[in-house]
Amino acid sequence: MYYGRKKGIIIGIVVAIVIILLAAISAFVVLKTDLFKSNETLFWKYAGAGLESFEQTPNIQLEEIEKLKMQSPYVIQGELQIGAEETDSSQNVKLVINAKNDKPNEYSHVNSKIEYANDTIFDLDYVKNDNVYALKSNEIVTAYLGVKNENLKVLFQKLGVQETTNIPDEIIPNDYSEILEFSEIDLEHIKEIYAEAITKPLTSENYSKQTKAILEKDGTSYETTSYRLDINKEQIVSILQNILTTLKSDSITLNLIIEKMKLLGMTEDEITIEDLTDAIDEAIEELTQEEFEDISFVVYSYKGETIAAEIIVRNTGKATIYAEKNSKKVIYESYEEEKIIVELINNVTTTQSNIQLKMNINDETQVNIDLINTGSASQKSLNTTCEISVINEENEIKATYNQTMEFLEELEETITLDETNSVVLNDYNAQDLKALIEAIVTRTSEVIGQKMQLIVSKIAPDIYKRANEAKQMYDEVARQEEEQLTNNEQRANELLNQL
C-alpha cells in the first residue's frame, strides 16, 4: 500500500516535470525559433534585425572633440591638394587654410589661399567678431566688408530685394546634427503610432517565404531562407495616405517636426501646426495623381541572422544591401544594365577613426575616399588625413587634405573689427550701398580676369604666349587703323577748309 502510493507520487512528479519541460520547450520553440511563426511576423523580425545592423557605431573620438571645440579655443592648419596622378605635384592646385576659432568668445579668423605652381592665385580672409561677419581680399578691397547679423530684412531692402517676408532679421547658428537626433520616447511613439498605418493595407497574401534560397555574397554562396513583402502601386498610395492622415492628428510628431524646422532657422510665425496640416492635405490630394511602381522587399536569413536584403522596384531595378558590424555595402543594378557598388568601412577607437568609402560605377570608374583621424580631446589635438581618388580608363584624379587641429588656453594675435579696418554694410544708406556693391563687382571681375590669365600662363604657357602675341598684333593693327582714320579726318578737314 505504502509502496504503491509512493510510486504514484513519483510518477505524478515525473509527469509534472515532463509537462513543465514540454511547456518550456514549446515556449522556446515559439518565442526563440521561427517554427509556427507567420511569414508576416518573420519578415518584420528579420527586416528589423537588418535595420539594427545598419546603425553606426558611435564615434566617441569625434564626439569628444566636438564638445571640446565648444569649450576651448583652437587653431587649424590645413592643405588641400588636387591634381592628376601622373603630373608633378608642384603643378597641383592647392588650398591652404589657417584658422583660429574661439566659440565661447564668438571669434573666428580663417585665411584661405589658392596656390598653383608655387604662386598665390587668390587670398581670402574671413573674420567673425561677436555679431559681425566680414570678408577681405587685398586685391579687391583693403578693408574688411562686414555684415552685422541683425535687421537683415532692412539690409536686403537696401540692396533692392522687394520681397523680404521669408528673410529672418537674424540668422541663428544651429547644430544641424540635432535634426537627425530623436529621443527614445520619440522613437517609441513613432513606432507605435505608424506601424499600424503602414501594415493596415497589407494582408497575409503580401508576404511569402522561400527555403533554400541561394545568395551570393562577396564570392561566397549561402543557402538561406528568404522572406518577401510585395506591395502594389495601389497599396503604396494607401500606405502613404494612412501615414499622412495619422500625422494630421498626431500633435506630438507635428510639434517634433516644428522643433526640427526651427533648427533650420524658421520661426514660430513662419511654421505652425495649421501650416503643416494644410501641407499634409495637399500632399494627400497629390498622391492620387502620382505614378508608382510595384515594390518588393526581401530579407535573407542564414542561421538565424539577417545577412542581406533587397529592394526591388518593378521596371526600374534593385538594390542589394549587406550590413555587418563595421561595414555596409549597397549594390544597385538597373534594368538598363547600370551597376553601382558602394561600400562603407568604419573602424573606430577612442584615439583613431578610419572611414573608407569605395564606389564602383559600371566597372568603368572607381571612387575611393579614405579618412583617418588620429588624436583625442584628452590629447588636445587631432590630425586628419583625407584622400580622394577618381580612377577611370583615361586618368586618375587625386585630392589629398591634411589638417592639424590643436587646442590652446588662449588665442594669440587676434583681429578686432573696428572703424579702422572694416566697414559694416548695414550702416550704409541704399544709394551708397548700391554704389559700393557695383564697385566691388567691377573690381572682382577685373581680378578674376587677371587670375584666369595667370592660370592659363601656368597651365599652358605656349598657348598663353601665342595668345598674348596675337593680342599684341591685334592691338597694333587697331592702333594703325585708328591712326589712319585720324590722318584721313585731318586731310578731309584740310580739303574742306580750301573750298
Side-chain angles (χ1 to χ4, degrees):
M1 181 79 177
Y2 178 78
Y3 175 76
R5 185 175 160 190
K6 182 179 179 182
K7 181 179 179 182
I9 293 172
I10 293 173
I11 292 172
I13 292 173
V14 170
V15 170
I17 291 172
V18 170
I19 292 173
I20 292 171
L21 287 173
L22 288 173
I25 292 170
S26 298
F28 174 80
V29 169
V30 172
L31 297 176
K32 300 299 183 181
T33 73
D34 295 340
L35 194 60
F36 305 133
K37 291 185 179 180
S38 68
N39 292 336
E40 176 181 356
T41 301
L42 293 172
F43 171 83
W44 290 110
K45 170 188 173 181
Y46 288 108
L51 289 173
E52 288 179 0
S53 66
F54 250 84
E55 294 181 358
Q56 290 289 339
T57 303
N59 193 325
I60 304 300
Q61 178 199 36
L62 296 186
E63 289 178 2
E64 293 299 321
I65 287 290
E66 288 301 315
K67 290 179 183 177
L68 188 57
K69 285 167 66 175
M70 302 301 295
Q71 302 167 0
S72 301
Y74 60 95
V75 295
I76 288 177
Q77 290 182 321
E79 180 179 292
L80 172 65
Q81 189 169 181
I82 303 174
E85 184 70 14
E86 66 274 6
T87 61
D88 182 0
S89 61
S90 65
Q91 300 299 309
N92 291 343
V93 176
K94 294 181 182 179
L95 172 63
V96 180
I97 298 173
N98 287 282
K100 299 177 180 180
N101 292 281
D102 188 349
K103 292 190 177 181
N105 292 310
E106 298 187 42
Y107 176 80
S108 181
H109 175 210
V110 182
N111 175 258
S112 304
K113 293 181 181 179
I114 298 176
E115 298 180 351
Y116 181 77
N118 299 320
D119 284 335
T120 298
I121 303 298
F122 195 70
D123 190 329
L124 182 66
D125 243 21
Y126 161 79
V127 173
K128 177 187 180 297
N129 263 169
D130 295 328
N131 209 30
V132 177
Y133 301 77
L135 293 172
K136 183 183 75 167
S137 175
N138 288 327
E139 294 180 274
I140 298 175
V141 289
T142 56
Y144 286 96
L145 297 176
V147 173
K148 189 177 294 184
N149 190 22
E150 60 183 42
N151 298 324
L152 295 181
K153 288 182 185 290
V154 176
L155 175 61
F156 277 89
Q157 288 169 355
K158 291 179 182 179
L159 291 170
V161 178
Q162 300 297 323
E163 181 55 53
T164 59
T165 304
N166 296 324
I167 297 175
D169 275 328
E170 64 176 313
I171 298 173
I172 302 175
N174 294 296
D175 182 4
Y176 293 112
S177 63
E178 294 181 14
I179 295 173
L180 300 178
E181 293 180 358
F182 298 90
S183 69
E184 288 297 326
I185 295 176
D186 292 333
L187 291 174
E188 286 302 318
H189 171 77
I190 292 171
K191 291 177 185 177
E192 180 182 348
I193 295 297
Y194 295 94
E196 182 180 356
I198 294 172
T199 58
K200 188 175 181 179
L202 306 175
T203 68
S204 60
E205 295 180 355
N206 291 100
Y207 300 90
S208 60
K209 172 184 176 180
Q210 181 184 351
T211 58
K212 297 183 179 179
I214 303 301
L215 175 71
E216 295 291 335
K217 178 181 176 182
D218 296 332
T220 303
S221 181
Y222 297 87
E223 185 178 287
T224 71
T225 301
S226 68
Y227 301 92
R228 182 177 179 124
L229 169 60
D230 297 303
I231 309 176
N232 61 41
K233 60 186 69 176
E234 291 79 14
Q235 289 173 321
I236 293 174
V237 172
S238 182
I239 290 171
L240 293 175
Q241 288 178 333
N242 284 352
I243 293 173
L244 293 173
T245 301
T246 303
L247 179 59
K248 275 186 61 178
S249 57
D250 179 9
S251 59
I252 294 176
T253 304
L254 287 175
N255 281 300
L256 178 63
I257 292 172
I258 288 177
E259 291 302 314
K260 298 298 183 182
M261 297 184 78
K262 286 180 181 177
L263 295 176
L264 295 172
M266 302 189 74
T267 66
E268 293 182 358
D269 294 332
E270 294 170 332
I271 181 66
T272 64
I273 294 289
E274 291 75 15
D275 294 330
L276 287 180
T277 54
D278 288 344
I280 291 170
D281 284 332
E282 291 180 11
I284 292 174
E285 180 65 27
E286 290 173 359
L287 278 174
T288 59
Q289 310 298 324
E290 294 288 340
E291 290 291 334
F292 293 96
E293 295 286 351
D294 295 353
I295 189 169
S296 298
F297 302 89
V298 186
V299 289
Y300 293 88
S301 167
Y302 179 74
K303 294 183 178 181
E305 301 288 337
T306 303
I307 64 169
E310 286 181 347
I311 302 173
I312 306 168
V313 181
R314 181 178 293 181
N315 300 323
T316 301
K318 73 173 182 177
T320 304
I321 304 167
Y322 306 142
E324 297 177 1
K325 183 178 179 181
N326 295 324
S327 66
K328 281 76 180 172
K329 180 184 285 188
V330 177
I331 302 174
Y332 173 75
E333 299 171 273
S334 76
Y335 295 133
E336 297 178 352
E337 298 184 351
E338 292 182 338
K339 185 176 183 180
I340 301 174
I341 303 174
V342 181
E343 184 176 9
L344 177 66
I345 302 171
N346 191 1
N347 294 300
V348 177
T349 68
T350 56
T351 58
Q352 181 164 314
S353 56
N354 186 0
I355 301 172
Q356 293 178 293
L357 178 66
K358 302 177 181 179
M359 179 183 297
N360 183 297
I361 305 173
N362 298 325
D363 287 329
E364 297 174 352
T365 302
Q366 181 73 35
V367 180
N368 298 313
I369 301 175
D370 194 351
L371 174 65
I372 300 175
N373 290 300
T374 305
S376 66
S378 61
Q379 297 171 348
K380 296 188 180 298
S381 67
L382 185 74
N383 296 326
T384 300
T385 299
C386 182
E387 292 186 356
I388 302 174
S389 62
V390 180
I391 307 168
N392 54 36
E393 294 180 355
E394 298 178 357
N395 53 30
E396 176 178 354
I397 303 298
K398 187 175 182 179
T400 303
Y401 180 71
N402 293 298
Q403 174 183 288
T404 61
M405 178 188 299
E406 294 185 9
F407 292 89
L408 309 172
E409 294 297 326
E410 184 179 358
L411 294 180
E412 298 179 355
E413 299 180 3
T414 59
I415 296 174
T416 300
L417 298 176
D418 55 33
E419 63 277 1
T420 65
N421 62 5
S422 65
V423 295
V424 178
L425 300 184
N426 309 60
D427 298 337
Y428 282 73
N429 59 45
Q431 183 177 355
D432 292 342
L433 182 60
K434 181 180 179 181
L436 176 61
I437 296 298
E438 289 177 351
I440 292 172
V441 170
T442 300
R443 179 55 186 159
T444 302
S445 298
E446 293 174 355
V447 171
I448 290 175
Q450 295 169 2
K451 298 303 179 182
M452 291 302 296
Q453 291 183 18
L454 177 60
I455 292 172
V456 172
S457 70
K458 297 289 185 180
I459 296 176
D462 292 339
I463 295 176
Y464 176 77
K465 180 180 179 181
R466 288 196 294 270
N468 196 42
E469 291 173 349
K471 182 179 182 302
Q472 291 177 354
M473 290 178 60
Y474 173 82
D475 291 342
E476 178 61 23
V477 170
R479 185 192 65 78
Q480 292 177 0
E481 289 181 349
E482 183 177 357
E483 183 178 347
Q484 184 63 40
L485 287 173
T486 301
N487 293 336
N488 291 341
E489 184 178 356
Q490 291 176 349
R491 180 57 180 163
N493 289 332
E494 291 175 358
L495 293 173
L496 287 173
N497 292 329
Q498 294 176 2
L499 294 175

